């Protein structure tokens, strides 16, 4: 297998020359070279031009494009073009159009208008892929296959009859017998017992709640079905072009499919991410998505396959990226493990649904801020060969689980919940404490991390409970939060006080949930968010919460302690005096249980405590409240510092900024400022102060 990478980071974007007259192509490649572009993704939405009629291919124009790119030293990530079937296809095979949960047949006219289970779609896509592979597999410009595009982006669930049949086959393979399915799904409830697999349907719109396990299995099936589309294309590519690596572009922290099951099948993880430039929380969310990409590849470098150079056109109001913001977000990806920074798209379209979406080369041309910023980034990346292939190492693990995501957001639960919000809060708390975070599966190698956070692992298998326990026993500080271990993998409640096997790890059991009104209450429900107050237990040494108390919201529960130490209790309210935070010594480590959702200060205090007890050496800054999000990530021997906050920050680390060539000590980073510092042995100041990072030996001038 060839390496999917070059000597310096990939830089480029989606290139759609088919939207332009040939006369423009020469200008494209000239400007690409000027901007330092070295990789373009070609042909993502070109099916209707490549195969204008069923079985008749027209490759001449693509031959010319690839030859032109090659002649100019540009490499190609060649798309299999199967993301948007042409009009002839949908007309010939109307049954391939997806059906929504409410039975609405989606019409052609935009993109991704195919049912993933459609045999006609798979057959036609496969034929096109084979033709492309045979024609371009040994083209010298092609270095990577780009299979389809953003699987599930618009249609991640199809409820048509074809999907129903495929769902039944998937269930038969999983359960073997209808009796086993009835048992797993709990169909004795509401008279849902099935006599045969033939009676099973997708969870279409029903009078009341659908069977929860049916719904979860359909989520799992839908992810697998899209993966099967991907794998069927990959199999052809492997057969015809075994030396060429393959990828498909993920979409950050995307709910539609379970990327843990996809990741082993890509040769390089690639990602598309479009944080809202107007949202101050955007960089935090993006940091988690980047960490997920690195984690999906088990630490291997990945590619930022798409981002916007400026504005998108998908929100009600689309702010452009401010001066420097695109660069800052690009370096965030690089710091967190990317070896390529690409955009959607190279040249801004003049026509079609995305003509108001920004591009590297804007409508207004090269006398523009966006173009100048693109040129600058391209030239900087060209000099950053030192970063290639280096590792970003994490000290903390954050458990992330699609089954729990799907299941905890079903209806009929004690309270409505946003799984992503719950997990993101802990990612932010760990990140802001100066830790780098890997996202992990609960049963995959937790013992490697001094700190492990398990937020709301609602669906928990016995194997996962064992792995979490093993991490604590081996010496990790493990924090488990509310709504963990409530059900097993079939969504059957864990009887006898929830938490399953984690009861012995944590030394507690749960009697009753006591959700608070607020954040995710339905419109018309109690408008004021209820709060809970937590205070340290009298007499327990080392109070976790700053100022002795913390405020929490959304969730409380009645926890009984078997053998843990109660670190904090609820004060006032229905659970006055009940445990809110417990700690159990477990083997060489500790297992904490948090029975509520503290605010940011409370989370920060708890994370500080985990850092102290686990002895993790924090290599990055702890930010002062109000100073904004200043990221600092070590990758290999380089320290990336990125200021996403409004206020300038001054660096207190000795070294050289590779981007400016300046000494880093005392450097002022304005908003969106970036420094890539060659500096080893950086310690970090844990207490609030004006300096963000301190070198190991703090010079007297800044003491
Ligand atoms: C996705 C798609 C692109 C384009 C962009 C716009 O990432 O892959 O084709 O539609 O969104 O933001």
């Amino acid at each position: 297998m060839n390496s999917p990478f070059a000597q310096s980071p990939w830089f480029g974007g989606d290139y759609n020359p088919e939207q332009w007259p040939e006369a423009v192509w020469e200008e494209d490649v000239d400007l690409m070279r000027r901007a330092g572009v070295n990789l373009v993704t070609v042909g993502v939405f070109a099916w209707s031009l490549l195969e204008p009629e069923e079985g008749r291919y027209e490759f001449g124009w693509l031959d010319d494009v690839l030859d032109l790119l090659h002649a100019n030293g540009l490499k190609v990530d060649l798309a299999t073009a199967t993301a948007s079937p042409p009009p002839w296809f949908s007309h010939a095979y109307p049954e391939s159009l997806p059906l929504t949960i409410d039975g609405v047949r989606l019409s052609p006219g935009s993109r991704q208008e195919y049912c993933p289970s459609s045999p006609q779609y798979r057959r036609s896509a496969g034929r096109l892929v084979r033709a492309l592979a045979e024609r371009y597999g040994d083209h010298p410009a092609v270095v990577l296959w780009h299979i389809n595009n953003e699987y599930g982006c618009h249609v991640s669930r199809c409820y048509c009859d074809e999907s129903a049949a495929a769902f039944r086959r998937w269930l038969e393979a999983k359960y073997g017998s209808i009796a086993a399915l009835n048992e797993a799904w709990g169909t004795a409830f509401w008279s849902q017992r099935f006599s045969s697999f033939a009676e099973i349907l997708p969870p279409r719109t029903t009078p009341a709640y659908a069977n929860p396990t049916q719904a979860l299995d359909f989520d799992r099936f839908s992810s697998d079905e899209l993966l099967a589309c991907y794998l069927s294309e990959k199999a052809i590519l492997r057969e015809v072009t075994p030396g060429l690596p393959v990828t498909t572009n993920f979409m950050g922290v995307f709910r539609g499919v379970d990327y843990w099951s996809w990741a082993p099948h890509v040769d390089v993880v690639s990602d598309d991410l479009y944080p809202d430039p107007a949202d101050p929380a955007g960089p935090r969310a993006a940091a988690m998505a980047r960490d997920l990409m690195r984690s999906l590849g088990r630490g291997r470098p990945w590619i930022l396959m798409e981002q916007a150079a400026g504005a998108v056109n998908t929100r009600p109001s689309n702010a452009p990226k401010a001066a420097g913001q695109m660069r800052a977000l690009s370096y965030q990806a690089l710091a967190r493990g990317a070896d390529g920074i690409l955009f959607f798209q190279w040249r801004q379209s003049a026509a079609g649904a995305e003509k108001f979406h920004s591009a590297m080369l804007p409508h207004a041309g090269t006398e523009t801020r966006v173009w100048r910023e693109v040129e600058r980034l391209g030239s900087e990346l060209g000099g950053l060969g030192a970063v290639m292939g280096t590792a970003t190492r994490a000290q903390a693990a954050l458990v992330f689980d699609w089954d729990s995501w799907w299941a905890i957001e079903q209806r009929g639960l004690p309270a409505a919940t946003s799984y992503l919000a719950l997990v993101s809060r802990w990612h932010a708390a760990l990140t802001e404490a100066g830790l780098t975070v890997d996202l992990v599966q609960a049963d995959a190698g937790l013992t490697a991390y001094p700190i492990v956070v398990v937020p709301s692992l609602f669906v928990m298998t016995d194997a996962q409970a064992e792995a979490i326990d093993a991490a604590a026993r081996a010496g990790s500080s493990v924090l488990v939060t509310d709504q963990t271990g409530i059900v097993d993998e079939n969504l059957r409640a864990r009887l006898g006080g929830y938490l399953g096997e984690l009861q012995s790890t944590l030394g507690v059991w749960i009697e009753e949930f006591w959700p608070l009104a607020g954040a995710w209450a339905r419109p018309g429900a109690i408008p004021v968010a209820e709060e809970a107050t937590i205070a340290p237990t009298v007499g327990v040494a080392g109070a976790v919460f700053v100022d002795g108390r913390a405020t929490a919201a959304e969730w409380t529960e009645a926890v009984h302690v078997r053998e843990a130490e109660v670190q904090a209790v609820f004060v006032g309210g229905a659970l006055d005096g009940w445990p809110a935070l417990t700690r159990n010594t477990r083997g060489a480590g500790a297992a904490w249980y948090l029975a509520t959702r503290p605010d940011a200060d409370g989370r920060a205090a708890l994370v500080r405590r985990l850092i102290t007890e686990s002895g993790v050496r924090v290599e990055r800054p702890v930010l002062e409240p109000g100073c904004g999000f200043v990221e600092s990530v070590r990758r290999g021997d380089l320290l990336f510092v990125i200021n996403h906050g409004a206020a300038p920050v001054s660096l207190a680390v000795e070294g050289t900024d590779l981007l400016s060539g300046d000494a880093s000590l005392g450097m002022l980073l304005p908003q969106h400022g970036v420094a890539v510092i060659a500096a080893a042995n950086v310690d970090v100041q844990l207490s609030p102060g004006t300096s963000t990072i301190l070198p190991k030996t703090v010079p007297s001038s800044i003491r």
Side-chain angles (χ1 to χ4, degrees), residues 24-291:
V24 175
W25 301 356
E26 289 288 347
E27 187 194 46
D28 281 334
V29 290
D30 284 349
L31 289 175
M32 282 176 191
R33 289 203 323 210
R34 197 172 124 188
V37 165
N38 54 13
L39 182 73
V40 287
T41 304
V42 177
V44 176
F45 295 107
W47 191 345
S48 68
L49 295 183
L50 292 170
E51 190 182 1
E53 286 172 299
E54 183 157 20
R56 183 171 70 77
Y57 298 106
E58 280 187 5
F59 289 126
W61 67 272
L62 187 54
D63 294 349
D64 293 345
V65 168
L66 295 191
D67 291 348
L68 178 66
L69 291 166
H70 178 59
N72 284 275
L74 294 150
K75 296 297 181 193
V76 172
D77 165 37
L78 187 58
T80 58
T82 54
S84 195
W88 63 253
F89 175 82
S90 309
H91 282 280
Y93 307 105
E95 64 280 20
S96 70
L97 290 165
L99 199 75
T100 67
I101 191 168
D102 292 322
V104 175
R105 184 70 75 176
L106 296 180
S107 181
S110 66
R111 65 177 176 183
Q112 214 172 82
E113 50 249 317
Y114 61 87
C115 159
S117 303
S118 158
Q120 293 89 357
Y121 169 75
R122 297 239 188 132
R123 198 181 55 231
S124 295
R127 268 201 318 250
L128 175 62
V129 173
R130 183 171 294 279
L132 282 164
E134 283 169 353
R135 190 166 189 100
Y136 299 113
D138 54 8
H139 193 287
V142 178
V143 293
L144 182 64
W145 283 114
H146 183 100
I147 296 185
N148 199 279
N149 192 65
E150 294 194 341
Y151 274 106
C153 157
H154 306 297
V155 180
S156 64
R157 308 280 181 275
C158 175
Y159 296 81
C160 75
D161 289 343
E162 208 64 77
S163 299
F167 184 38
R168 288 191 279 268
R169 290 192 294 273
W170 184 91
L171 291 168
E172 274 200 78
K174 174 171 180 176
Y175 291 106
S177 74
I178 197 67
L181 179 142
N182 278 316
E183 174 63 17
W185 286 17
T187 54
F189 187 80
W190 279 357
S191 179
Q192 291 174 350
R193 190 186 157 279
F194 296 101
S195 306
S196 73
F197 282 97
E199 292 173 359
I200 297 176
L201 295 170
R204 295 172 179 150
T205 302
T206 41
Y209 307 147
N211 180 300
T213 318
Q214 175 192 17
L216 178 61
D217 268 344
F218 192 67
D219 289 328
R220 292 163 169 157
F221 154 78
S222 299
S223 177
D224 284 358
E225 202 62 357
L226 283 164
L227 178 58
C229 288
Y230 167 84
L231 290 175
S232 64
E233 292 196 20
K234 182 184 170 185
I236 298 167
L237 296 174
R238 274 287 194 269
E239 179 199 325
V240 185
T241 64
L244 271 182
V246 302
T247 190
T248 186
N249 42 349
F250 294 162
M251 289 165 283
V253 191
F254 175 62
R255 190 176 188 277
V257 300
D258 178 350
Y259 284 146
W260 290 125
S261 62
W262 285 61
H265 302 290
V266 296
D267 295 319
V268 54
V269 170
S270 66
D271 190 40
D272 299 352
L273 206 71
Y274 294 90
D276 184 352
D279 179 2
R284 283 191 174 81
M288 179 161 132
R290 324 266 195 221
D291 284 347

